Amino acid sequence: MNQEDNEEIKEFISSFMSKHCKFKSIRLKKAAQLLELKTYTISEVSYLVGFNDPKYFSREFKKQFGETPRVFVNAMDI
């Protein structure tokens, strides 16, 4: 591989990761909307928006919103 090939690969990976992060952000925003409805449990919401692991969903939710889904839901009760 030459330098040009390496740059193309880096650009492709960067573009892919950027799109992946945007898609995940959209899924998490939808999750917040669903949690506000209080119709589904946190685990159900995680599966509804495409996360296979509720713990991973909770970690990613906290990264985006600064609080866990549990705290988010409980704050609506105040």
Side-chain angles (χ1 to χ4, degrees), residues 23-24 26-35 42-52 57 61:
F23 184 64
K24 184 169 44 173
I26 291 167
R27 291 165 45 206
L28 290 167
K29 288 176 185 175
K30 182 62 179 176
Q33 292 173 344
L34 291 170
L35 290 170
I42 293 169
S43 289
E44 289 171 331
V45 168
S46 72
Y47 291 114
L48 286 169
V49 297
F51 287 85
N52 294 326
F57 165 74
F61 190 96

Side-chain angles (χ1 to χ4, degrees), residues 62-77:
K62 185 173 182 178
K63 283 181 192 176
Q64 180 153 335
F65 296 107
E67 59 190 9
T68 65
R70 175 80 50 224
V71 171
F72 180 83
V73 169
N74 289 341
M76 291 186 290
D77 293 334

